[in-house]
Each structure stands twice: as C-alpha cells, then as structure tokens.
Amino acid sequence: MAMTKRPARTQDVPIPIDVRARTITDIARLAGVSAGTVSRALSGSSLVKPRTSEKIRMLATAHGFSPNIAARNLRTRRTGAVGVIIPLGHEAGQHISDPFFMALLGHLADALTDRGYDLLLSRVLPSNKDWLAQFVDSGRVDGVIIIGQSDQSAVLDEVASRYLPIVVWGGHIEGQVYCSVGSDNKLGGRLATEHLINKGCRRIAFFGDAAAPEIAQRLDGCREALAEAGIDATIDYLPVHLTAENAHPAILARLSENRIVPDGIVAASDVVGMSALRALSEFGLSVPSDVRVVGYDDLSIAAQTTPPLSSIKQDLATGAAHLVDILFRRMAGEATESVVMAPSLICRSST
Amino acid sequence: MAMTKRPARTQDVPIPIDVRARTITDIARLAGVSAGTVSRALSGSSLVKPRTSEKIRMLATAHGFSPNIAARNLRTRRTGAVGVIIPLGHEAGQHISDPFFMALLGHLADALTDRGYDLLLSRVLPSNKDWLAQFVDSGRVDGVIIIGQSDQSAVLDEVASRYLPIVVWGGHIEGQVYCSVGSDNKLGGRLATEHLINKGCRRIAFFGDAAAPEIAQRLDGCREALAEAGIDATIDYLPVHLTAENAHPAILARLSENRIVPDGIVAASDVVGMSALRALSEFGLSVPSDVRVVGYDDLSIAAQTTPPLSSIKQDLATGAAHLVDILFRRMAGEATESVVMAPSLICRSST
DNA sequence: TAAAGAAATTAAATCGATTGCAATAACAAA
DNA sequence: TTTGTTATTGCAATCGATTTAATTTCTTTA
C-alpha cells in the first residue's frame, strides 16, 4: 500500500490518550463538557450527573491530570498550606537541626499531612521587626505555627492582635496576647529538682541558658523547689547553649574549676543532659552514684544513652496535635485559649 | 452646631492612610498610576521613572503592602518554592523525625532560604504509583528534592524521564535515570569493616535492614572487606529497623541468643549504633574492650554518646549544598550528573 | 400534552499580578 | 514651531480554576 504524504491537519489528528492534559479545559474538551462541569466533577459536587462525573474522573486519571494549585489558590483565596516558622532570635548558633525542633516538626508534618495540608518550612533570623508581618501578609499560607517564642514575644503579640490564624509553641507568659501551646516549664523544672532532692541530692546545678523564656521558667521552678525544700545553697547555674558542641566543653570546663562538684544536675534539654553524661564520665564521675542527671524533653535519644537518661517529658505528639487543632479552629474564625500541658517525670537509670 | 444625619456616600470618605492596601490596584489608585506601573515599580524595572517608582514604593511600605503570591505564581508560572519529599516506602514504622532526615532537612532549609526559596515539606506513604507525578504536576513547586530512594526507584526513574528539576538524595544505583547526590555506601561499609579488622575484630556483625538500597550497599561493602581480608566467617546480619525503639530490643534479643558474640559491630546508622552501645552495656559487655562499634552518618549525637561513637561520616552540609545547587541548575534547564561523595571514618572511643 | 418544577450544564465573571503592545509625554534637534 | 526620538505609562490580554447566574434538558404532575 502506497503511503501518501500530506500535511497533517489538526482535525485529522486524534488527541492521543497519553498526552497529559494540562488544564481543566483540556479535560473539558475531551469529555465534551464545559470547564465548570469538570471543576465540579473533580471536586465531587453533587450538581453533576453521576454518569458525567464518572466519565470526567476516568479521563482525568487516564491523563494523569491534576489541577493547577496556583489558579485554585487565587480563586478560592486559600492556599492549602500552613507555615511553620522557627525564629532563631537569641541564639544565632542554634541550628534548625536541633533535635527538639525536628521532633516537633516531624509530628507537625504528620498532623498536617493527615489534614491534607502542606507544610511550608521557614527558618528566620529576625533581623527587623517585620519578619512575621511580611510572611503573614504575603498570602502564601492559611495559617502559621511558630516554634518557640525566642525573644520575639513583642512581635508575636503585635501580629496576633490583627491576624487570627497563628499559634505558638512555647510556655505561657504572663499577659501574652497570642495563643500558645506548651508545657508548664516551671512545673517541669520543679519536678526535676524535687526528684533529685528526693534522691538525696543537695548541691544542685542547672545547665542551660535562661535567655530563652522557656529555659528561664525551668530555672525558676528549680529555684522554687529548692527554696521549698529549705535548701539554702544557691543553685549552680551554668548558662550553656543548647547545642552539644557548646555544652560539652562548657560543662567540662565547669567541672575542672574544682569548685564543689554538684551531686544533681538539671539539664535544660536532653542534648545538654547527654553532654553532661559524657563530660561526667570523662571526668571520672559515675552516674548515678556520684552525680544524678535529669534531662528535659524526653526525646527518643534520652532512652538510648548510657545510662539511660531520666527526663522531663513534654508530650510532643499531643502538643503537635493541639497546635494543629487550634490552628484550624482559628483558621475557621474561632477564638481559642492557650493550652498548658503538664510535663511528667520519666525516671531512668541516670537518677 | 446641629448634626445632620445623612447616608454616608462613598466619595465622602477619604481613604484612610492606615488601611492596608490589599491589591496592586489599590496602590495604583493611591499613587494615581496604573496597576502595570505599580507592578513594574515594585519589581524594580528600569522602565519606570525613578520619581514615580520611589513614590510607589513609599506608598507600598507605608501601607504594609505585599503582593498576592498566588496571583503572581499563576501568571509567571513559577512558585518560588521547592518541595522536599520523604517517601517512607519500605518501613512504615520509620517516622519523619528520624534524626538523619531531620539533619539533612535542616541543611536544606538553610540552603534554600539563602536563595530566597520556600521549602514545602511533604511526607509520603507511597500507596499508589502516582504519588510523585501528582505532586510534580500540581504546580506547587518549581523543583523537587527527594530524600531517600526507599523502594521507589522505578517511580523516580519514570518521573525523572519527563520532569527535569528533580534531585534525589541517595546512593548511586546501576542504571538509574534520575540524578542523585549521595555518598558511596559500599565504600562506607568497607571503611567501617576494615577499621574493625585493623583493630583486630574477627567476628563482625552488621545491624540494619538491607531492604533499603543504601543499607544493602553498606552491607555489600562490609562483605567485600571481609572477603578481601580473608576472613571467611559469614557476617552476622541482623535486619533491625532504623528506629531506636525497634533496634534496642532486637539487639538485646540477639545478644541473649547465646550464639557467638561478635567482637565488632557495623551499625547501619548512628541511632542503631547508639542502641547497640546501650544494649552491650546492659548485657555487661564493655566497649571497646569486648566489642567495638562503628555507627553510620556521624550525626551530632554520635560524638555525645558514652563512649563517643566512631562513625562513617557523610558530610550532610556539603550534600545539601550539592542537592540545592544541582536542583537550581536543573530548574534552569541544565542536565546534570549525579554526585557520589566519599564518606570518611571518624574514629572515636568506641573502637 | 402542556406547564411547572427539578436537574444538569454552560457561559461568563472573577481572583490579582504580570507583560506585550500601543499610546502618550517629554525632550532634543532642526 | 515642527518633527523625530526616546522615556514613561496605560490598556488589555493572560495565567487556570471556581462559582454565580442563566440556560437548557429532563421529569413530573395536572
């Protein structure tokens, strides 16, 4: 059979099924309906006849079609994304890969994914006062979760007073305007300290930098517990940063100063606690017989140290669930109250 | 003076300066120019007269205006966001908060922030084959970084063959189509094993689940090194999951089976290594005198264990920089080669 | 069978910023 | 003053999905 060459005319060429339909209009043409119908069919509207709807869905999946999100966002004035912001105000050295941030972030990702929302991660070094307002006004997200007040509570208050869908992870501070979810840090510090006192410790040290409000509250609780127990020794406060790289040498240095060695240590985080364990071991002191150590956060690493680290547990899974739940309620226009969760002591071999 | 009640007419009310201008058109009206000019002025186009441009910018900042991102995205067909996806194929139990993922994620967030891009985090349980195509076609991001092949390399190949801006963290696999950045896992396994052999170990165990290709390659390297050293003992392979919760009891159980206890352990990750340290300690074996342990990844926790854990270091900061750099080159249309980085041994007290 | 009512679908406006092209203003040279 | 350029600005189309209002089609019921 002889082949006849002829110019391809558009109408001669059937649309190949494997060409990816890009827009809703493409699908509409294929299905012989209008774009509006396709939109409704794909969003599961009951306005379209079941037969039509099914045909459209078949076509859509056959062509691997997925609607353009930017266009949808523009029209619906929603984004389907939630911003998670980590302000690193007081400790420039503190990196986003801090295990605590990451653990909470993981839970948030899970909770948001479950609700079909995207998570827009943003690490901010708050240089000017406008960082949050800018982010909020850019319309990239439907709501914002801030992990840690850092030293930015003034900024948080200001934005929260005009922008409803925002929630902050952190301890509750007297007079704050914004809505927060966190655990009772003062109580946590107290629990740790009382536990050490009960175990017989009398010379108690606190390792952690009280520049962050959460840490300051823990230190407060620690002091209160000591005062109530009638122990008048001033607490041995060592303001170490929360990274292992900083904490370990600082702790070693303190131990070497040959002042009185503490017999109980409250660490402001598990990472600091872990560094303390290591430093003590290197210094020839054994845990718990010479010194007892309590960490904070009860991350999964706490259970894996040698010896396993006692720790003040903040239930991050519940915390993340609260954060997301409250955020969605606020996105729906509801005013919500802050949540303060009770921390609990997890007792392991280090005490 | 008597007050006269009258209906408020729109033109009577001057636009208050403190009302947030929402759209570019609002600003245009205030500045007495057209929307196009505002758009150009704010994007720093040289087409607008400097005086006009300055006036517009003043107004914009005075009203705290920031342009609607969705509209811009729709028009420009760019999003200013990069997707970071963690597929959890082979281990449903493995959680996004795995320290390795998180460490890499932190570096990625930093690198992307530096370039002014947002990071859209997505955790995927690949139930159907379409998860990646769907994500890529939804137009939410300008490019995609995948952390870990998991068991999805077929899917990756398929999408990569038609969608350029995608990069994968992971080892290089024979014949892969997609572009990857990762370290040489086989070499890593070999380094760890040779190190143990040099230290005199002869009964070497490997703890980690070879269902993931990265881990399988490490195990391969391990076997090769043993073969080359002429040690014919079959390796003691224990396929533990990469979470501390799973690894620790599995390792304890293995130790209790009173078969021959290994004198050297290659752990597939630092978390597993840490669990091994703890299990050994609980079992009354001391590290490194009875058993030597090498971890993998060299996360910051490795240095803080007691004893500090020797580990095969993957340079995640460099890796993240490579991933982002390659992704941007691909977003610009360039074809790029995969990168295989050389891991290195960090020797600490555990060996 | 026609009219009324319900169901399904279409047409067209809309979201807000960007940008090619046209139009005007400003200015220089003749 | 007129013409020719160039520097600015305005107009209107565009991106693609959603949604209101309008229209067509199909059922009922009188």
Side-chain angles (χ1 to χ4, degrees), chain B residues 245-284:
Chain B
E245 291 72 17
N246 291 314
H248 176 257
I251 295 171
L252 259 189
R254 170 61 61 104
L255 291 175
S256 312
E257 280 172 12
N258 75 17
R259 56 171 81 189
I260 302 162
V261 169
D263 57 4
I265 294 174
V266 177
S269 77
D270 285 338
V271 172
V272 172
M274 209 172 149
S275 298
L277 288 182
R278 179 182 157 210
L280 289 168
S281 154
E282 289 167 356
F283 203 69

Side-chain angles (χ1 to χ4, degrees), chain A residues 33-34 37 40 48-49 52 74-75 77:
Chain A
V33 298
S34 74
T37 304
R40 277 183 277 256
V48 273
K49 192 198 318 202
T52 320
L74 176 58
R75 179 60 228 239
R77 300 160 150 286

